[in-house]
Amino acid sequence: MSRSGLRLVERRILHLFHSRTTCTNLTEIHARFLRYNLHQSNLVLAQFVSRCASLRKMSYAHLIFLQTQNPNILLFNSMIKGYSLSGPPLESLRLFCTMKNRGIWPDQFTFPPLLKSCSNVSDLGLGRSIHAEVLTVGFEAHNSVQIGLVELYSSCGRMEDAQRVFYEMSQRDVVVWNMMIHGFCKKGDVDKGFYLFRQMSEQNVVSWNSMISGFAQGGRDGEALGLFHEMWDAGFEPDDATVVTILPVCARLGALDVGKWIHSYADGRGLSKEITAVGNALVDMYCKCGDLVGARMCFYQMPRRNVVSWNSMISGLAMNGHGNIGVNMFEEMKRQGIEPNEVTFIAVFGCCTHAGLVQRGQELFDLMIKEHHIKPRLEHYGCMVDLLGRYGHVKEAFELIRSMPMRSSAAIWGALLSACRIHGDLEIAEHASKELVSLEPWNSGNYVLLSNIYAEAGRWDDVENIRVSMKDKYVQKAPGQSMLE
């Protein structure tokens, strides 16, 4: 075939990568360029690798790459970018070393995906070595490289380094501004993130979402909700990420009316039906606001429910005093083939505690270990100690604590001590209080609780001894205060 004819065939094959009907049929495209002896064309192979990456078929691309006799910088860049996008990220760094060993000099398109790979694995050391390579070859002024550096340093929490690169950039688009805002908020410096947010000349939904999430995660729910209202007034339409972020804020603030408005909005945009996470957030919001009717309506209208959906509903029933229904829902969940996880059992233990189902709770604890092969965490033991202690099984709760493979927390000993006071078990109370004082020698509440137990038992000498002990250890009793304060 003549050179002009070969170029024509090459253009036709390249067209296949952009055709809706053929772009996903990799084997057909592969056969086509093999037929025309274009399997060594770096241009064709680079396009083929890009298509493989978009379909997450980099193993296929790798096999083709290994058969290439003289891969050039174009093909290497395509492979490096493919691995940075679809993984495994470290393969792109290995290929970079192979490329250098072959004497192929990197260009400005080599480094952004390499930096992306370092960001994906949060490897600051590797990222710094790539940054050094950038400085060596002189590509530090390229915008795409600078964006990669900002992403690397912000994802690794090195905001001073990210800021240094950011302010050296001649052009800053909304993407790089969002990286900086997200980086500061993730590190806990929400005010710095908010300062940058206010400096932006152009914002998008991601900008607002990052800032709302930053306030929410920083415990500044009022500001998060205020910014959400401002976002709406500015003409930005919330997306699924906005909804999933702001609904827990509504739950914590008890802003049920706002939550209902967001529910209506999500229904109107189809978000509550199409995106499971939105449905889950709605169920959780209604449960935490005490509206079980709304929670059940959302739950049963969801076309797809995952384990998070069931967990939200079961824990919501527990916190609203419907433990028996919650346990029944757990059984229904299992019948529908949904495998419970660690959080599920914490929720169902809460149901047993609120409903007084001690024996059922013990059976479920054994079921969690033996049938579902879930190793109990501190939270699971804490739930069981609370369940047993609250309903008079103080000795069993004490033995459970002693059998734990990890050291108990102050919260668990505190729950046991409270149970001892309710049920009058002075011997175990003394043991629990000693453990509490060992864990929290500064906490006056532990001394006061034991003092009250002694007082109720008429052991006034021991009450006085505790007061002396508190004085000797400089432990100050926390003053009482009104809930209105």
Side-chain angles (χ1 to χ4, degrees), residues 238-276:
D239 61 7
D240 58 296
T242 321
V243 172
V244 170
T245 301
I246 201 64
L247 282 172
V249 171
C250 295
R252 290 191 293 270
L253 293 175
L256 182 58
D257 288 345
V258 180
K260 286 181 175 180
W261 180 88
I262 294 170
H263 183 185
S264 176
Y265 171 84
D267 279 351
R269 296 296 185 279
L271 299 177
S272 50
K273 296 290 190 298
E274 295 172 8
I275 300 170
T276 305

Side-chain angles (χ1 to χ4, degrees), residues 16 53 106 121 132 157 182 198 203 209 233 239 249 270 275 291 297 332 358 378 382 410 415 459 461 467 473-474:
L16 294 176
V121 295
H182 178 74
R198 290 303 192 198
Q203 297 153 334
N209 288 350
D233 291 339
D239 61 7
V249 171
I275 300 170
D291 186 351
M297 180 185 71
E332 177 63 24
V358 178
L378 201 60
R459 291 173 53 173
D461 289 342
R467 289 176 180 169
K473 294 176 182 178
Y474 302 101

